[in-house]
Amino acid sequence: MSTISTETIATVKSTIPFLQEHGIKLTEHFYKRLFAGNPEVKKYFNSANQEAGAQQRALGSAICAFAQNIETPENLAPAVSRISNKHASLGILPEHYPVVGEHLLGSIDDLLDPAPPEVLEAWGEAYGFLADVMINAEKEIYAKQESQKGGWTGFRKMEVFKREHESKWITSFYLRPSDPCPVIPFKPGQYITVRIPTADGSTTMRNYSLSGSPNWDHYRISVKREVPRHADTPEGYVSSYLHTKVSVGDGIEIGPPCGDFFLGDHSPEAPVLLISGGVGLTPLLSMLHGTGSNPTTFIHAAIDGENHALRDEVEAIAEKVSNVEVHFRYSAPSNEDIRDANHHSSGLISNDFLSDFITPDTQIYFCGPKPMMRHIYKCLDEIGHPKSQTHFEFFGPQEELES
Ligand code: FAD
């Protein structure tokens, strides 16, 4: 693999203040330029994330982090793993990198109006280095997906053979191949990609964590219908499509399991704490199915009983497996929840609440709505829990939890 020259490192580092101040402006400009110049790549991006600015913020922080760690690229390994998995889930190929590189350098040039030649040269070299790292990481993922029993790359037609209503807004879809071949038994915590046609004749893709346990036969995803947050915004495209247009017997296209959020190889005594909020329970429920001998606590936060999905399944696991404990926490329990004792505690997740479930050797996995994740991250930081024992998944473009 190529290395980055000392001059390039110095020049890229000299652009850090610019990136810190104008990173978002740069990435906003970049996406506009990319979609205008190469509209064929639009299908790889979620327009709702673009609209919300989440994709621009995520890319802005990633570029800045790359510049800050250019001398110590090993620090970027977790980000490379997460992003290459995400890219592989969407089918990103080596030929996409020069297109992105052209618009990234073009955007730096446009914003600096014009950029000094040494800055463009340095960023060209640095981007080439990063592109090589990503291409190789993605190549490895594709090769592994293809070579596994039941494996494939690209998109494969699945038949929905069962639909299950799990809560007010969450429905599970059971998917098995339309061909007679098996499927890859994923690692609990991983996700697949669903590809759906759009009105303009293109397609759009979304990731969905697999919510069941690994097997050779089928997958289960559990999808929350995203209703509009405001009267003038559309409802979530793919989740509504699945909820309203996909019935038992219908076919949908999916990509193979991806993702690096799965249970690590912990010692059998290490306590495992799985914390989920809302539909964020999907990867954690899958992990709960596969916790093995580790003493495991599953905390699920929901608004109330009506919004609490897959409760029976979690309780059945806890009943069957002696080392599993569950705790349901509702932020706004209904009178019925209180009467029927549907939950173990009420309120938001707090330091005091979490402390009761954590020892210094606990391995913590969490996933949920962004405000809850930020809050848990802050609580764990205040408790002083080691970051190396804290693992999480975001249901959207990665944004800094610290901010
Ligand atoms: P989108 O069309 O993407 O819209 C998202 C939100 O933006 C909606 O609230 C919508 O109303 C709003 N919106 C859309 N367009 C606009 C606009 N023009 N202006 C303003 N607002 C707008 N989800 C699950 O339900 N279950 C899972 O197990 C799951 N696992 C995931 C795993 C991973 C690794 C990731 C990254 C995500 C996961 N998600 C999961 C989230 C899922 O991928 C989708 O993001 C989610 O279903 C919403 O997609 P959508 O197409 O329905 O909504």
Side-chain angles (χ1 to χ4, degrees):
M1 176 162 309
S2 60
T3 51
I4 310 179
S5 70
T6 322
E7 299 79 47
T8 290
I9 289 175
T11 310
V12 167
K13 279 175 75 181
S14 74
T15 62
I16 293 173
F18 163 77
L19 294 173
Q20 282 169 329
E21 199 181 336
H22 303 291
I24 307 292
K25 213 165 134 195
L26 175 73
T27 53
E28 281 169 357
H29 184 78
F30 161 78
Y31 280 116
K32 279 190 198 131
R33 207 177 188 281
L34 175 70
F35 295 151
N38 293 81
E40 74 280 5
V41 302
K42 260 189 174 172
K43 63 178 182 223
Y44 294 100
F45 296 88
N46 176 342
S47 60
N49 290 336
Q50 292 287 329
E51 203 68 43
Q55 192 85 54
Q56 293 87 335
R57 287 193 295 276
L59 181 63
S61 346
I63 293 173
C64 205
F66 172 61
Q68 285 164 331
N69 288 285
I70 192 160
E71 282 168 296
T72 48
E74 61 280 6
N75 291 349
L76 298 168
V80 168
S81 163
R82 178 173 40 77
I83 297 169
S84 57
N85 270 281
K86 192 58 76 68
H87 282 181
S89 82
L90 301 172
I92 301 295
L93 295 170
E95 58 260 35
H96 293 124
Y97 282 89
V99 176
V100 167
E102 178 200 323
H103 291 289
L104 182 62
L105 292 188
S107 300
I108 295 174
D109 199 23
D110 291 345
L111 254 68
L112 289 176
D113 195 25
E118 67 275 14
V119 166
L120 289 181
E121 205 173 301
W123 266 103
E125 187 187 335
Y127 177 79
F129 171 84
L130 186 60
D132 277 353
V133 170
M134 297 305 302
I135 289 168
N136 286 327
E138 286 151 27
K139 216 160 118 186
E140 258 180 52
I141 298 172
Y142 290 133
K144 208 163 158 195
Q145 286 171 339
E146 200 159 24
S147 64
Q148 272 178 284
K149 183 180 166 193
W152 75 100
T153 53
F155 284 82
R156 185 169 168 193
K157 190 88 174 282
M158 296 274 157
E159 181 202 330
V160 176
F161 69 95
K162 189 164 139 191
R163 261 183 76 130
E164 201 100 70
H165 179 77
E166 308 289 10
S167 73
K168 189 176 175 189
W169 298 112
I170 299 176
T171 295
S172 287
F173 298 83
Y174 290 73
L175 315 169
R176 68 179 165 216
S178 303
D179 54 60
C181 303
V183 294
I184 308 174
F186 61 97
K187 291 184 180 167
Q190 287 191 306
Y191 53 85
I192 53 156
T193 304
V194 170
R195 186 166 75 174
I196 295 291
T198 51
D200 61 2
S202 183
T203 53
T204 189
M205 297 178 268
R206 300 287 185 273
N207 299 131
Y208 289 102
S209 300
L210 293 155
S211 59
S213 47
N215 63 80
W216 297 102
D217 174 66
H218 70 273
Y219 296 132
R220 180 182 71 180
I221 54 172
S222 306
V223 178
K224 180 183 170 216
R225 184 168 181 184
E226 289 293 337
V227 289
R229 292 183 197 130
H230 307 286
D232 56 348
T233 54
E235 60 182 353
Y237 185 77
V238 174
S239 63
S240 301
Y241 184 98
L242 290 169
H243 274 251
T244 60
K245 295 204 169 73
V246 176
S247 311
V248 170
D250 287 344
I252 59 169
E253 289 184 316
I254 69 163
C258 282
D260 61 355
F261 179 65
F262 46 78
L263 280 176
D265 209 3
H266 310 305
S267 76
E269 308 81 47
V272 170
L273 176 60
L274 309 173
I275 315 169
S276 62
V279 75
L281 99 164
T282 50
L284 298 157
L285 172 55
S286 183
M287 288 182 187
L288 185 66
H289 275 288
T291 44
S293 61
N294 293 83
T296 302
T297 307
F298 181 90
I299 297 175
H300 181 59
I303 300 170
D304 55 18
E306 213 187 4
N307 286 283
H308 185 171
L310 293 148
R311 176 198 182 103
D312 293 350
E313 187 167 319
V314 170
E315 283 181 330
I317 298 172
E319 219 160 89
K320 205 167 99 196
V321 187
S322 61
N323 54 332
V324 167
E325 280 192 27
V326 300
H327 187 106
F328 301 138
R329 189 166 174 88
Y330 290 178
S331 54
S334 64
N335 289 338
E336 205 179 47
D337 292 328
I338 295 166
R339 186 196 65 207
D340 299 344
N342 283 341
H343 56 306
H344 302 96
S345 66
S346 57
L348 296 174
I349 287 180
S350 63
N351 278 9
D352 283 350
F353 171 76
L354 275 183
S355 301
D356 287 345
F357 297 95
I358 297 174
T359 55
D361 55 344
T362 305
Q363 294 287 342
I364 303 178
Y365 293 80
F366 64 101
C367 180
K370 194 162 36 150
M372 173 182 159
M373 297 205 39
R374 279 208 171 135
H375 187 65
I376 292 177
Y377 190 85
K378 187 164 159 269
C379 289
L380 295 177
D381 195 40
E382 283 166 9
I383 292 168
H385 200 68
K387 293 248 183 315
S388 59
Q389 291 167 216
T390 302
H391 321 270
F392 55 84
E393 179 79 283
F394 259 127
F395 278 6
Q398 178 93 11
E399 290 179 55
E400 289 301 320
L401 286 181
E402 292 99 335
S403 59

